Amino acid sequence: MEFTKQLGIKIKELRKERGLKQFELAEGICSQAQISKIEKGQVEPLSSTLYLIANKLNVQVSQFFKHIPETRDYLTEMIEKLKAARKNSDFQLIKQIIEEHENKRINDNNETLAVLTWYKGVYNYYLNKDLIASTDLLKKAITLADNNSVTKIEILNDIGKVLLDAGEFSLSINYLQDSLRNLEIAESNNPELQVRVIYNLIFSLFELKKYKEAIYYCHLAINICIEAEKMDYFRELHYWLGELYEHIREYDKALFYYEHTINLYEGKKELQLITYLVDRSKQLKEIINTEKSLQNSKKSHGINKELQRNLA
């Protein structure tokens, strides 16, 4: 990418200005080979590596970005990095990426401002536990995003997720359902996002003991996964069905989905979950057998009473 190439050139210029060899710059940071790749624009350094290089060169990180032309490639890369960090729940990295961008003092357009404000809202909650500041920023991001855009839909989902994690389940449901409505209006073919929104919605419904509604959304999300051939959340949704059916005392269905989940996780490194599901399945089988015995006992008792009446 052009931005990565320009960044490498800038680091090389600063290194030579200070009379350092590559191995001297690399000492205590990374390998000389890695410095060589960075300077050639073959790899972009992690934010943490960039800070260490800046310290070694006795400059601010912002110095690397001076006079580097702003390109669409750079913005695309930045947004992709933010999304990847969000997926990995690396909120400190999100903060670093935004601060590095702001240090460049670029006049951002509304699309970029919406994304930056959105992720500021996310890290404000998860790093600072400031729910008010977080939701205020996320609401502002919605006003900056284009109507019916995927960005707006994702922001609505993240407000719902933040409120879910903060225990504000009713409010969370409102935003998550709004996100789903916007997906329908936008007619955006984005099954991954749709399932992600539904998955958060299931959590909030469960916390409010709206089990049957949560079951409906589980089946909906599973059907979306199958139709789109996307398996993200597929195993988790089957587990949720087992949990939900158990809560409404439909034990046969709960057992079916627990056992199906065990099969889906076969070969995966989820031993703790599998152990729990195996134990839970055994307990459910005992409950089911006990209920059948009681039903048979009641039937037998009813037949005996009928016989007694006939004999009388």
Side-chain angles (χ1 to χ4, degrees):
M1 296 283 186
E2 181 64 24
F3 171 75
T4 306
K5 184 179 177 182
Q6 292 295 326
L7 177 61
I9 291 169
K10 190 67 180 177
I11 290 172
K12 185 176 180 179
E13 284 177 359
L14 290 168
R15 174 179 62 80
K16 287 191 169 184
E17 283 176 13
R18 282 148 184 76
L20 294 174
K21 302 290 186 185
Q22 283 186 346
F23 76 88
E24 292 174 315
L25 178 57
E27 188 177 358
I29 299 174
C30 58
S31 67
Q32 179 182 342
Q34 185 71 358
I35 292 292
S36 177
K37 287 179 181 178
I38 290 168
E39 290 186 351
K40 289 176 182 176
Q42 294 174 350
V43 296
E44 185 178 344
L46 296 172
S47 297
S48 54
T49 304
L50 208 55
Y51 275 114
L52 292 172
I53 291 173
N55 288 337
K56 182 71 73 78
L57 294 172
N58 195 28
V59 297
Q60 297 293 321
V61 172
S62 58
Q63 186 71 21
F64 294 139
F65 305 109
K66 283 186 178 178
H67 311 302
I68 294 179
E70 185 67 6
T71 66
R72 184 70 183 176
D73 279 347
Y74 159 68
L75 289 175
T76 303
E77 282 185 64
M78 181 189 71
I79 291 168
E80 285 174 357
K81 285 180 183 177
L82 286 170
K83 288 185 177 181
R86 176 71 180 91
K87 188 174 183 180
N88 294 324
S89 300
D90 193 342
F91 305 110
Q92 190 62 51
L93 179 56
I94 289 173
K95 185 179 180 182
Q96 286 179 6
I97 292 168
I98 292 173
E99 287 177 348
E100 286 169 14
H101 176 77
E102 288 179 337
N103 283 337
K104 291 190 235 176
R105 305 184 186 281
I106 295 165
N107 291 323
D108 294 309
N109 59 27
N110 270 9
E111 179 189 354
T112 307
L113 281 173
V115 172
L116 292 170
T117 308
W118 164 19
Y119 283 102
K120 271 187 183 179
V122 170
Y123 82 64
N124 255 280
Y125 177 71
Y126 292 104
L127 291 182
N128 306 329
K129 297 302 176 188
D130 191 336
L131 180 60
I132 294 173
S134 172
T135 51
D136 283 349
L137 284 164
L138 289 165
K139 288 173 185 176
K140 182 181 177 183
I142 289 174
T143 66
L144 293 166
D146 291 337
N147 279 334
N148 303 327
S149 65
V150 172
T151 297
K152 180 179 178 181
I153 294 162
E154 292 207 77
I155 296 168
L156 286 167
N157 177 55
D158 260 343
I159 298 180
K161 182 67 169 68
V162 164
L163 289 166
L164 164 61
D165 292 340
E168 298 287 346
F169 307 119
S170 295
L171 284 173
S172 170
I173 288 170
N174 291 339
Y175 281 102
L176 294 169
Q177 288 180 332
D178 196 14
S179 182
L180 288 177
R181 281 192 294 271
N182 275 267
L183 262 171
E184 290 178 12
I185 294 167
E187 296 181 352
S188 173
N189 185 24
N190 197 329
E192 295 97 332
L193 176 55
Q194 192 175 4
V195 170
R196 191 157 22 105
V197 176
I198 292 171
Y199 193 74
N200 289 331
L201 182 56
I202 290 164
F203 265 92
S204 285
L205 290 168
F206 176 80
E207 293 294 342
L208 292 177
K209 299 183 179 179
K210 296 184 177 183
Y211 304 129
K212 290 186 178 180
E213 194 174 346
I215 287 169
Y216 163 78
Y217 279 108
C218 274
H219 285 296
L220 176 61
I222 287 171
N223 288 337
I224 293 167
C225 288
I226 292 169
E227 288 174 13
E229 297 182 355
K230 302 288 184 183
M231 293 299 105
D232 289 351
Y233 299 105
F234 190 72
R235 291 184 292 268
E236 292 89 341
L237 287 162
H238 282 81
Y239 163 75
W240 264 113
L241 280 172
E243 188 81 27
L244 290 162
Y245 276 120
E246 184 176 353
H247 273 78
I248 62 172
R249 298 179 179 275
E250 292 192 26
Y251 298 124
D252 284 329
K253 289 181 180 178
L255 178 60
F256 170 82
Y257 282 106
Y258 280 153
E259 290 181 335
H260 193 41
T261 304
I262 292 168
N263 292 332
L264 289 171
Y265 274 101
E266 189 176 355
K268 305 291 179 184
K269 295 179 181 179
E270 299 287 347
L271 295 178
Q272 189 174 355
L273 175 61
I274 291 171
T275 301
Y276 166 77
L277 290 172
V278 168
D279 290 343
R280 197 73 205 118
S281 296
K282 286 179 183 176
Q283 292 170 13
L284 282 179
K285 285 176 183 176
E286 291 175 5
I287 292 170
I288 291 166
N289 289 333
T290 300
E291 286 190 344
K292 284 181 179 177
S293 295
L294 287 171
Q295 287 173 359
N296 290 334
S297 176
K298 286 180 180 178
K299 284 181 182 178
S300 176
H301 182 68
I303 290 168
N304 288 337
K305 287 183 74 175
E306 184 67 27
L307 284 171
Q308 287 172 2
R309 282 196 295 270
N310 289 338
L311 288 172

